[in-house]
Amino acid sequence: MRRSAPEHPDPFPGLHERYLPWIERRDLSYRVRFDVPAELLMHERLQLVFDGLDTLAVITLNGRWLGSTENMFVRHDFDLRGCAQAKGNLLEITFRNTLD
C-alpha cells in the first residue's frame, strides 16, 4: 500500500521536507492582524523586533514598507511610529525564495 503525503506536513520532523520541494522556489507570506494598546502609541519609541527572520524577507505594516532583511543571524528592529494604529494593524512578512 502506497502512503500519500499530508497536504502540508511540518517540514522539520523526519524526512517530511521531501514532500515540499516546491517551497524553496516560491515567495511565501505571513500575515497577522493585531491591536496596539493606546498607551503604547503614546511612547516616544515603538519598535518591532525580530531576532531572526529566515534570510530574505520584506516587512510591511498597514501597507507601509518597514524594511527588508538578508541575514537570519542578525537582529532587526523596525520603527513603528507613524504607521502603527490602535486597531486592526496588518503585519505582512514576505519571505523571498533564494533561487531567483
Side-chain angles (χ1 to χ4, degrees):
M1 182 167 116
R2 184 174 176 190
R3 286 179 132 183
S4 62
E7 186 176 344
H8 294 291
D10 181 340
F12 297 111
L15 298 174
H16 284 185
E17 66 187 41
R18 70 180 172 209
Y19 297 121
L20 302 168
W22 55 268
I23 208 163
E24 68 182 7
R25 295 186 298 274
R26 296 181 105 171
D27 294 347
L28 300 172
S29 292
Y30 169 80
R31 293 179 193 96
V32 64
R33 288 200 179 273
F34 65 95
D35 298 334
V36 177
E39 60 271 12
L40 286 182
L41 292 173
M42 292 189 281
H43 283 246
E44 185 177 321
R45 296 181 69 189
L46 184 60
Q47 291 187 307
L48 178 63
V49 177
F50 296 101
D51 286 324
L53 288 173
D54 194 15
T55 312
L56 305 175
V58 174
I59 300 94
T60 63
L61 180 64
N62 300 326
R64 180 176 164 195
W65 183 82
L66 294 179
S68 58
T69 67
E70 294 183 354
N71 189 332
M72 180 176 176
F73 303 105
V74 174
R75 176 182 159 139
H76 299 281
D77 299 1
F78 298 100
D79 182 12
L80 301 184
R81 299 294 304 163
C83 62
Q85 53 200 30
K87 301 284 184 190
N89 292 284
L90 177 61
L91 175 67
E92 184 169 7
I93 305 168
T94 301
F95 296 95
R96 302 286 184 197
N97 79 73
T98 57
L99 298 178
D100 283 346

